[in-house]
């Protein structure tokens, strides 16, 4: 009996604590993610609503797409390149569907690139030039699907 009780207590200790975040009315369950991956996703989501500013790297005040990626990765103790094309080139390329915490890359103009961070199986957070703020978008949106270059990760 004591053995069964101890095994039950130990199993309870080894499970990850619940980790979730509510942003703009959406609840994100991060408890199933590796801690560093959850840290990156949480840091990016906390920037929702931050104004888009070209060249911006200031959390909660002014971010561009690659600045948002830097801020999110810094929160998890990682340094990544500053510019989106350099972030793509330095990331480990991924095949298959990107996971929360992975970067998604797009070509939005002749020499313009964009980057976002997956927050769940369908959406990514990014600093939107059109909406002038950090917001969520769906990877399945025709605009993004047509411009998708691939995914990469630093995790």
């Amino acid at each position: 009996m004591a053995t069964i009780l101890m095994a039950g207590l130990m199993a309870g200790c080894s499970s990850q604590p619940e980790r979730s975040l509510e942003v703009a009315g959406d609840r994100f369950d991060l408890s199933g993610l590796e801690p560093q991956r959850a840290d990156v996703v949480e840091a990016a989501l906390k920037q929702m609503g931050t104004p888009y500013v070209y060249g911006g790297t200031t959390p909660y005040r002014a971010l561009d797409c690659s600045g948002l990626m830097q801020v999110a990765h810094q929160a998890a103790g990682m340094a990544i390149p500053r510019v989106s094309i350099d972030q793509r080139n330095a990331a480990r390329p991924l095949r298959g569907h990107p996971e929360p915490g992975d970067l998604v890359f797009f070509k939005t103009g002749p020499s313009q690139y964009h980057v976002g961070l997956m927050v769940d199986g369908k959406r990514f957070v990014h600093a939107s030039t059109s909406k002038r703020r950090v917001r969520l978008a769906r990877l399945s949106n025709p605009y993004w699907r047509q411009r998708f270059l691939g995914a990469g990760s630093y995790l």
Side-chain angles (χ1 to χ4, degrees):
M1 181 70 164
T3 305
I4 294 171
L5 179 59
M6 184 60 80
L9 289 174
M10 290 178 73
C13 293
S14 66
S15 65
Q16 290 182 323
E18 184 178 323
R19 184 172 178 182
S20 65
L21 178 69
E22 187 167 327
V23 179
D26 272 333
R27 179 160 293 287
F28 297 88
D29 181 9
L30 308 177
S31 51
L33 302 177
E34 299 163 2
Q36 195 172 38
R37 193 172 283 273
D39 290 345
V40 170
V41 173
E42 180 176 0
L45 286 170
K46 285 183 175 179
Q47 297 303 317
M48 292 273 291
T50 298
Y52 171 87
V53 175
Y54 180 78
T57 59
T58 308
Y60 306 107
R61 301 194 83 186
L63 292 170
D64 66 9
C65 65
S66 56
L68 173 61
M69 300 307 111
Q70 273 196 315
V71 165
H73 284 79
Q74 285 171 350
M78 298 183 302
I80 68 171
R82 170 66 186 100
V83 182
S84 59
I85 191 68
D86 294 337
Q87 290 174 354
R88 180 176 184 231
N89 291 336
R92 177 177 46 87
L94 298 175
R95 294 179 189 249
H97 199 75
E99 299 177 24
D102 293 337
L103 301 180
V104 286
F105 300 98
F106 308 91
K107 186 166 185 177
T108 55
S111 60
Q112 295 174 323
Y113 296 88
H114 189 67
V115 61
L117 184 118
M118 293 300 292
V119 297
D120 59 24
K122 299 176 181 177
R123 298 175 295 176
F124 63 96
V125 63
H126 68 118
S128 171
T129 56
S130 64
K131 300 293 183 182
R132 310 295 299 169
R133 62 186 170 91
V134 174
R135 64 187 301 258
L136 290 173
R138 292 193 174 276
L139 198 54
S140 63
N141 177 301
Y143 177 86
W144 296 114
R145 199 173 52 237
Q146 291 170 2
R147 291 160 178 80
F148 184 68
L149 291 174
S153 188
Y154 291 93
L155 300 167

